Amino acid sequence: MKICIYGAGSIGCYIGGRLAAVGADVSFITRPRVYEELRTSGLKLTDYTGKTIKIAAKDLQLSVDPKIVTDADIIFVCVKSAATEQVAKELYNNLGAHRPYIVSFQNGLSNVPILKRILKHHSILEGMVPFNVAVQAVGHFHQGTSGALHVKAYTQQQDLAKLFKQAELEIVFNQDMLAVQWAKILLNLNNSINALSKLPLKQQLSNHQYRQCLAMAQQETLHLLDLAQIKPAKLTAISAHLLPKIISLPNFIFKILSRKMLAIDPLARSSMQDDLMAGRTTEVDWINGEVVQLAQQLGKQAPINKTLIELIKQAEISGSEFSIGAHDLKTKLEHAAKLKV
Protein backbone atom coordinates (compact mmCIF):
# COMPACT_ATOMS: atom_id res chain seq x y z
CA MET A 1 0.00 0.00 0.00
CA LYS A 2 1.43 3.33 -1.11
CA ILE A 3 0.70 6.21 1.25
CA CYS A 4 1.08 9.87 0.38
CA ILE A 5 1.29 12.51 3.12
CA TYR A 6 -0.03 15.77 1.66
CA GLY A 7 1.38 18.38 4.00
CA ALA A 8 4.58 17.56 5.85
CA GLY A 9 3.94 19.60 8.96
CA SER A 10 3.95 18.31 12.53
CA ILE A 11 1.10 15.82 12.11
CA GLY A 12 2.05 14.72 8.60
CA CYS A 13 5.70 14.15 9.46
CA TYR A 14 4.88 12.34 12.69
CA ILE A 15 2.24 9.94 11.35
CA GLY A 16 4.06 9.43 8.05
CA GLY A 17 7.36 8.96 9.83
CA ARG A 18 5.97 6.37 12.24
CA LEU A 19 4.59 4.38 9.29
CA ALA A 20 7.75 4.74 7.22
CA ALA A 21 9.83 3.52 10.18
CA VAL A 22 8.15 0.09 10.00
CA GLY A 23 8.73 -0.24 6.27
CA ALA A 24 5.58 1.34 4.84
CA ASP A 25 5.83 2.93 1.39
CA VAL A 26 5.31 6.57 2.41
CA SER A 27 5.94 9.68 0.32
CA PHE A 28 5.74 13.26 1.60
CA ILE A 29 4.56 16.29 -0.38
CA THR A 30 6.27 19.26 1.25
CA ARG A 31 6.80 22.97 0.83
CA PRO A 32 10.22 23.86 -0.65
CA ARG A 33 11.55 25.07 2.72
CA VAL A 34 10.52 21.88 4.51
CA TYR A 35 11.89 19.80 1.64
CA GLU A 36 15.33 21.34 2.09
CA GLU A 37 15.20 20.93 5.87
CA LEU A 38 14.18 17.27 5.81
CA ARG A 39 16.57 16.46 2.98
CA THR A 40 19.35 17.60 5.30
CA SER A 41 18.11 16.57 8.76
CA GLY A 42 16.01 13.48 8.16
CA LEU A 43 13.32 12.73 10.75
CA LYS A 44 13.55 12.28 14.49
CA LEU A 45 10.34 11.21 16.22
CA THR A 46 9.92 11.08 19.99
CA ASP A 47 7.00 10.72 22.37
CA TYR A 48 6.02 11.25 26.00
CA THR A 49 6.82 7.61 26.85
CA GLY A 50 10.48 7.99 25.87
CA LYS A 51 10.25 6.36 22.43
CA THR A 52 12.79 7.65 19.88
CA ILE A 53 12.77 6.86 16.15
CA LYS A 54 15.25 8.19 13.61
CA ILE A 55 14.93 8.04 9.83
CA ALA A 56 17.87 9.12 7.70
CA ALA A 57 17.23 11.74 5.05
CA LYS A 58 18.24 9.31 2.30
CA ASP A 59 15.45 6.96 3.39
CA LEU A 60 12.70 9.58 3.07
CA GLN A 61 10.61 9.93 -0.09
CA LEU A 62 10.29 13.72 -0.33
CA SER A 63 8.80 15.82 -3.12
CA VAL A 64 7.47 19.30 -3.75
CA ASP A 65 5.51 18.02 -6.77
CA PRO A 66 1.81 17.19 -6.18
CA LYS A 67 1.89 14.90 -9.23
CA ILE A 68 3.26 12.06 -7.09
CA VAL A 69 -0.29 11.50 -5.76
CA THR A 70 -1.02 9.50 -8.94
CA ASP A 71 0.84 6.52 -7.42
CA ALA A 72 -0.91 6.61 -4.04
CA ASP A 73 -3.41 4.07 -2.72
CA ILE A 74 -4.32 6.38 0.16
CA ILE A 75 -3.64 10.08 0.74
CA PHE A 76 -3.50 11.69 4.18
CA VAL A 77 -4.33 15.40 3.92
CA CYS A 78 -2.47 17.02 6.82
CA VAL A 79 -2.29 20.68 5.77
CA LYS A 80 -3.65 23.55 7.84
CA SER A 81 -7.38 24.05 7.31
CA ALA A 82 -6.93 27.35 5.48
CA ALA A 83 -5.07 25.48 2.70
CA THR A 84 -7.71 22.78 2.18
CA GLU A 85 -9.34 24.30 -0.89
CA GLN A 86 -5.99 24.83 -2.60
CA VAL A 87 -4.97 21.23 -1.89
CA ALA A 88 -8.34 19.93 -3.12
CA LYS A 89 -7.84 21.75 -6.43
CA GLU A 90 -4.29 20.39 -6.74
CA LEU A 91 -5.58 16.88 -6.11
CA TYR A 92 -8.32 17.37 -8.71
CA ASN A 93 -5.81 18.55 -11.29
CA ASN A 94 -3.40 15.68 -10.69
CA LEU A 95 -5.47 12.62 -9.83
CA GLY A 96 -7.48 12.43 -13.03
CA ALA A 97 -9.21 9.03 -13.16
CA HIS A 98 -7.07 7.68 -10.28
CA ARG A 99 -9.24 7.01 -7.20
CA PRO A 100 -7.20 6.57 -4.00
CA TYR A 101 -8.83 6.92 -0.60
CA ILE A 102 -8.34 10.41 0.84
CA VAL A 103 -8.28 10.90 4.63
CA SER A 104 -8.48 14.37 6.17
CA PHE A 105 -6.37 14.43 9.35
CA GLN A 106 -7.26 18.08 10.00
CA ASN A 107 -8.96 20.19 12.65
CA GLY A 108 -12.58 21.26 12.48
CA LEU A 109 -15.62 20.11 10.53
CA SER A 110 -15.44 21.96 7.23
CA ASN A 111 -12.42 20.36 5.55
CA VAL A 112 -14.11 17.16 4.36
CA PRO A 113 -17.08 19.06 2.84
CA ILE A 114 -14.59 21.22 0.91
CA LEU A 115 -12.73 18.15 -0.33
CA LYS A 116 -15.99 16.45 -1.30
CA ARG A 117 -17.25 19.52 -3.14
CA ILE A 118 -14.17 19.67 -5.37
CA LEU A 119 -13.37 15.94 -5.56
CA LYS A 120 -16.92 14.76 -6.21
CA HIS A 121 -16.03 11.27 -7.46
CA HIS A 122 -13.45 10.37 -4.80
CA SER A 123 -13.75 8.55 -1.49
CA ILE A 124 -13.13 11.21 1.16
CA LEU A 125 -12.87 10.03 4.76
CA GLU A 126 -12.94 12.02 7.98
CA GLY A 127 -9.96 11.48 10.26
CA MET A 128 -9.09 12.72 13.73
CA VAL A 129 -5.72 13.03 15.46
CA PRO A 130 -6.19 13.15 19.25
CA PHE A 131 -2.65 13.83 20.35
CA ASN A 132 -0.42 16.87 20.38
CA VAL A 133 2.66 16.94 18.15
CA ALA A 134 5.18 19.76 18.52
CA VAL A 135 8.34 20.71 16.65
CA GLN A 136 11.36 20.37 18.95
CA ALA A 137 14.00 21.21 16.34
CA VAL A 138 14.41 20.97 12.56
CA GLY A 139 13.15 17.50 11.62
CA HIS A 140 12.34 16.59 15.25
CA PHE A 141 8.65 16.03 16.03
CA HIS A 142 7.46 15.13 19.52
CA GLN A 143 4.15 13.53 20.54
CA GLY A 144 3.31 15.08 23.89
CA THR A 145 -0.06 13.49 24.69
CA SER A 146 -1.83 10.15 24.15
CA GLY A 147 -4.89 8.94 22.27
CA ALA A 148 -6.15 6.77 19.41
CA LEU A 149 -6.46 8.03 15.86
CA HIS A 150 -9.97 7.83 14.40
CA VAL A 151 -10.95 7.34 10.74
CA LYS A 152 -14.31 6.93 9.03
CA ALA A 153 -15.02 3.23 8.52
CA TYR A 154 -14.48 1.98 4.95
CA THR A 155 -14.33 -1.32 3.09
CA GLN A 156 -10.54 -1.82 3.00
CA GLN A 157 -9.78 -0.53 6.47
CA GLN A 158 -8.13 -3.79 7.58
CA ASP A 159 -5.05 -2.98 5.47
CA LEU A 160 -4.59 0.37 7.18
CA ALA A 161 -5.35 -1.16 10.58
CA LYS A 162 -2.54 -3.72 10.15
CA LEU A 163 -0.06 -1.04 9.14
CA PHE A 164 -0.89 1.21 12.08
CA LYS A 165 -0.64 -1.76 14.43
CA GLN A 166 2.87 -2.46 13.13
CA ALA A 167 3.74 1.20 13.77
CA GLU A 168 2.29 0.93 17.31
CA LEU A 169 -0.20 3.69 16.56
CA GLU A 170 -3.67 2.96 17.89
CA ILE A 171 -6.42 3.53 15.30
CA VAL A 172 -10.21 3.22 15.58
CA PHE A 173 -12.68 3.15 12.69
CA ASN A 174 -16.06 4.83 13.25
CA GLN A 175 -19.31 5.17 11.34
CA ASP A 176 -20.33 8.38 13.16
CA MET A 177 -17.36 10.68 12.68
CA LEU A 178 -19.40 13.82 13.37
CA ALA A 179 -19.68 12.69 16.99
CA VAL A 180 -15.92 12.07 17.09
CA GLN A 181 -15.12 15.43 15.51
CA TRP A 182 -17.26 17.34 18.00
CA ALA A 183 -15.69 15.40 20.88
CA LYS A 184 -12.28 16.46 19.58
CA ILE A 185 -13.41 20.09 19.26
CA LEU A 186 -14.57 20.03 22.90
CA LEU A 187 -11.04 19.03 23.92
CA ASN A 188 -9.42 21.42 21.43
CA LEU A 189 -11.28 24.39 22.92
CA ASN A 190 -8.35 24.44 25.31
CA ASN A 191 -5.97 25.27 22.42
CA SER A 192 -6.92 28.95 22.40
CA ILE A 193 -6.73 29.17 26.21
CA ASN A 194 -3.33 27.49 26.21
CA ALA A 195 -2.10 29.80 23.46
CA LEU A 196 -3.24 32.88 25.39
CA SER A 197 -1.60 31.61 28.58
CA LYS A 198 1.79 31.00 26.87
CA LEU A 199 2.29 28.15 29.37
CA PRO A 200 3.02 24.46 28.74
CA LEU A 201 -0.21 22.42 28.65
CA LYS A 202 0.43 20.61 31.90
CA GLN A 203 1.12 23.85 33.77
CA GLN A 204 -1.88 25.60 32.24
CA LEU A 205 -4.25 22.71 33.03
CA SER A 206 -2.95 22.71 36.61
CA ASN A 207 -4.26 26.27 37.01
CA HIS A 208 -7.82 26.26 38.35
CA GLN A 209 -8.87 29.54 36.75
CA TYR A 210 -7.62 28.57 33.29
CA ARG A 211 -9.55 25.30 33.67
CA GLN A 212 -12.66 27.28 34.60
CA CYS A 213 -12.26 29.19 31.34
CA LEU A 214 -12.13 25.89 29.46
CA ALA A 215 -15.17 24.60 31.34
CA MET A 216 -17.14 27.72 30.36
CA ALA A 217 -16.27 27.25 26.69
CA GLN A 218 -17.18 23.55 26.86
CA GLN A 219 -20.48 24.16 28.67
CA GLU A 220 -21.49 26.70 26.05
CA THR A 221 -20.64 24.21 23.30
CA LEU A 222 -22.43 21.29 24.97
CA HIS A 223 -25.60 23.38 25.32
CA LEU A 224 -25.55 24.06 21.57
CA LEU A 225 -24.84 20.41 20.76
CA ASP A 226 -27.82 19.38 22.89
CA LEU A 227 -30.01 21.81 20.94
CA ALA A 228 -28.67 20.39 17.67
CA GLN A 229 -29.23 16.82 18.96
CA ILE A 230 -25.58 15.95 18.43
CA LYS A 231 -24.11 13.56 21.00
CA PRO A 232 -20.30 13.83 21.10
CA ALA A 233 -18.35 10.58 21.23
CA LYS A 234 -16.58 9.48 24.40
CA LEU A 235 -12.87 9.93 23.64
CA THR A 236 -11.68 9.93 27.25
CA ALA A 237 -12.55 8.03 30.40
CA ILE A 238 -14.80 10.97 31.26
CA SER A 239 -17.96 11.54 29.19
CA ALA A 240 -18.24 14.84 27.33
CA HIS A 241 -21.00 16.25 29.55
CA LEU A 242 -19.01 15.48 32.70
CA LEU A 243 -15.81 17.11 31.43
CA PRO A 244 -16.65 20.71 32.45
CA LYS A 245 -17.65 19.57 35.94
CA ILE A 246 -14.43 17.59 36.46
CA ILE A 247 -12.31 20.38 34.99
CA SER A 248 -13.91 22.92 37.33
CA LEU A 249 -13.03 20.99 40.49
CA PRO A 250 -10.45 22.41 42.92
CA ASN A 251 -6.85 21.51 42.10
CA PHE A 252 -6.31 18.82 44.73
CA ILE A 253 -9.44 16.88 43.65
CA PHE A 254 -8.84 17.44 39.94
CA LYS A 255 -5.31 16.04 40.14
CA ILE A 256 -6.59 12.86 41.77
CA LEU A 257 -9.44 12.29 39.30
CA SER A 258 -7.59 13.36 36.15
CA ARG A 259 -4.24 11.62 36.27
CA LYS A 260 -4.61 10.40 32.67
CA MET A 261 -5.60 13.88 31.49
CA LEU A 262 -2.43 15.26 33.06
CA ALA A 263 -0.23 12.47 31.63
CA ILE A 264 1.29 15.09 29.36
CA ASP A 265 4.88 15.80 28.51
CA PRO A 266 5.89 18.77 30.74
CA LEU A 267 7.01 20.78 27.69
CA ALA A 268 4.01 20.04 25.45
CA ARG A 269 2.10 23.06 24.16
CA SER A 270 -0.91 23.39 21.89
CA SER A 271 -0.31 23.77 18.16
CA MET A 272 -2.13 27.09 18.38
CA GLN A 273 0.45 28.39 20.82
CA ASP A 274 3.21 27.18 18.48
CA ASP A 275 1.55 29.06 15.61
CA LEU A 276 1.28 32.28 17.62
CA MET A 277 4.89 32.09 18.76
CA ALA A 278 6.01 31.52 15.16
CA GLY A 279 3.91 34.39 13.82
CA ARG A 280 1.60 32.08 11.83
CA THR A 281 -2.16 32.42 11.43
CA THR A 282 -3.89 30.02 13.82
CA GLU A 283 -6.74 27.55 13.23
CA VAL A 284 -9.02 29.19 15.79
CA ASP A 285 -11.73 29.61 13.12
CA TRP A 286 -11.79 25.82 12.71
CA ILE A 287 -12.05 25.14 16.45
CA ASN A 288 -13.84 27.85 18.46
CA GLY A 289 -15.20 29.13 15.15
CA GLU A 290 -17.09 25.88 14.61
CA VAL A 291 -18.99 26.55 17.84
CA VAL A 292 -19.89 30.08 16.74
CA GLN A 293 -21.09 28.74 13.37
CA LEU A 294 -23.24 26.10 15.07
CA ALA A 295 -24.77 28.81 17.27
CA GLN A 296 -25.61 30.89 14.19
CA GLN A 297 -27.23 27.89 12.50
CA LEU A 298 -29.42 27.45 15.59
CA GLY A 299 -30.25 31.15 15.85
CA LYS A 300 -28.25 31.38 19.08
CA GLN A 301 -25.06 33.03 20.32
CA ALA A 302 -21.74 31.71 21.58
CA PRO A 303 -20.23 34.74 23.37
CA ILE A 304 -17.55 32.79 25.27
CA ASN A 305 -16.10 31.10 22.20
CA LYS A 306 -16.51 34.31 20.19
CA THR A 307 -14.46 36.19 22.82
CA LEU A 308 -11.71 33.55 22.65
CA ILE A 309 -11.58 33.98 18.87
CA GLU A 310 -11.32 37.76 19.23
CA LEU A 311 -8.47 37.43 21.74
CA ILE A 312 -6.56 35.01 19.48
CA LYS A 313 -7.03 37.35 16.49
CA GLN A 314 -5.66 40.17 18.65
CA ALA A 315 -2.70 37.97 19.58
CA GLU A 316 -2.06 37.17 15.90
CA ILE A 317 -1.73 40.90 15.22
CA SER A 318 0.18 41.76 18.38
CA GLY A 319 2.78 39.03 18.00
CA SER A 320 4.41 36.64 20.42
CA GLU A 321 4.47 39.16 23.29
CA PHE A 322 0.68 38.92 23.72
CA SER A 323 -0.57 36.88 26.67
CA ILE A 324 -3.32 37.05 29.28
CA GLY A 325 -3.40 35.82 32.86
CA ALA A 326 -5.92 33.30 34.16
CA HIS A 327 -7.87 35.80 36.31
CA ASP A 328 -8.15 38.38 33.52
CA LEU A 329 -9.22 35.79 30.97
CA LYS A 330 -11.86 34.37 33.29
CA THR A 331 -13.19 37.88 33.96
CA LYS A 332 -13.43 38.62 30.22
CA LEU A 333 -15.29 35.37 29.53
CA GLU A 334 -17.70 35.90 32.43
CA HIS A 335 -18.37 39.44 31.20
CA ALA A 336 -19.03 38.15 27.66
CA ALA A 337 -21.47 35.55 29.01
CA LYS A 338 -23.42 38.23 30.92
CA LEU A 339 -23.79 40.34 27.77
CA LYS A 340 -25.59 37.49 25.99
CA VAL A 341 -29.17 38.47 25.16
Side-chain angles (χ1 to χ4, degrees), residues 31-50:
R31 298 187 302 276
R33 176 185 61 80
V34 177
Y35 175 85
E36 294 299 331
E37 289 176 353
L38 296 181
R39 193 175 66 166
T40 301
S41 68
L43 277 180
K44 179 181 179 181
L45 311 173
T46 55
D47 73 7
Y48 64 99
T49 69

Side-chain angles (χ1 to χ4, degrees), residues 2 7-8 15 24 35 47 51 54 56 93 109 128 141 153-154 189 195 213 221 224 233 249 255 283 288 295 332 334:
K2 294 186 176 181
I15 294 176
Y35 175 85
D47 73 7
K51 184 189 297 290
K54 293 182 180 180
N93 291 334
L109 304 171
M128 189 279 286
F141 299 92
Y154 68 106
L189 293 177
C213 293
T221 304
L224 294 168
L249 290 170
K255 288 179 180 179
E283 291 191 292
N288 302 83
K332 283 182 180 292
E334 288 174 339

Side-chain angles (χ1 to χ4, degrees), residues 16-273:
R18 289 289 297 267
L19 296 174
V22 295
D25 187 348
V26 182
S27 57
F28 299 82
I29 297 176
T30 77
R31 298 187 302 276
R33 176 185 61 80
V34 177
Y35 175 85
E36 294 299 331
E37 289 176 353
L38 296 181
R39 193 175 66 166
T40 301
S41 68
L43 277 180
K44 179 181 179 181
L45 311 173
T46 55
D47 73 7
Y48 64 99
T49 69
K51 184 189 297 290
T52 299
I53 296 170
K54 293 182 180 180
I55 306 174
K58 65 180 178 61
D59 295 326
L60 293 173
Q61 300 181 56
L62 305 171
S63 179
V64 296
D65 189 353
K67 291 179 181 177
I68 68 169
V69 295
T70 56
D71 292 331
D73 297 307
I74 188 164
I75 299 168
F76 296 161
V77 177
C78 301
V79 298
K80 293 287 189 180
S81 297
T84 301
E85 185 160 353
Q86 177 190 341
V87 166
K89 290 176 179 177
E90 289 173 356
L91 287 170
Y92 178 84
N93 291 334
N94 288 291
L95 284 174
H98 185 47
R99 296 289 184 268
Y101 286 101
I102 300 171
V103 180
S104 166
F105 278 129
Q106 300 169 276
N107 281 324
L109 304 171
S110 60
N111 295 297
V112 167
I114 291 171
L115 291 167
K116 286 183 175 179
R117 172 170 55 82
I118 296 171
L119 299 160
K120 292 183 176 66
H121 304 295
H122 291 75
S123 298
I124 315 294
L125 306 171
E126 296 88 348
M128 189 279 286
V129 181
F131 46 73
N132 165 275
V133 178
V135 181
Q136 298 292 308
V138 173
H140 180 187
F141 299 92
H142 181 75
Q143 178 187 344
T145 56
S146 63
L149 293 145
H150 287 249
V151 172
K152 175 79 172 182
Y154 68 106
T155 54
Q156 295 178 316
Q157 66 189 41
Q158 68 277 1
D159 297 330
L160 196 62
K162 289 177 183 177
L163 194 54
F164 272 75
K165 185 176 181 180
Q166 290 172 15
E168 297 181 341
L169 285 172
E170 187 179 358
I171 188 167
V172 178
F173 296 92
N174 300 86
Q175 288 293 343
D176 186 3
M177 281 300 294
L178 182 63
V180 172
Q181 289 173 309
W182 271 112
K184 173 73 184 303
I185 287 173
L186 280 166
L187 298 176
N188 274 359
L189 293 177
N190 188 58
N191 287 13
S192 54
I193 296 166
N194 178 255
L196 293 167
S197 76
K198 292 179 71 174
L199 297 172
L201 278 164
K202 190 167 187 174
Q203 187 177 345
Q204 176 248 312
L205 285 170
S206 296
N207 183 303
H208 185 231
Q209 288 189 319
Y210 277 133
R211 289 204 312 278
Q212 287 179 307
C213 293
L214 173 57
M216 291 165 65
Q218 288 179 334
Q219 285 170 335
E220 181 176 80
T221 304
L222 286 164
H223 173 66
L224 294 168
L225 290 174
D226 287 343
L227 292 176
Q229 297 184 345
I230 298 171
K231 184 179 179 180
K234 187 178 179 183
L235 297 183
T236 65
I238 303 167
S239 66
H241 280 81
L242 278 179
L243 268 175
K245 296 177 182 177
I246 299 295
I247 286 169
S248 298
L249 290 170
N251 279 343
F252 72 97
I253 302 177
F254 174 74
K255 288 179 180 179
I256 294 171
L257 296 178
S258 306
R259 287 175 183 168
K260 286 188 176 180
M261 189 182 296
L262 292 176
I264 302 170
D265 189 289
L267 298 180
R269 300 171 187 266
S270 69
S271 58
M272 196 175 294
Q273 185 178 155

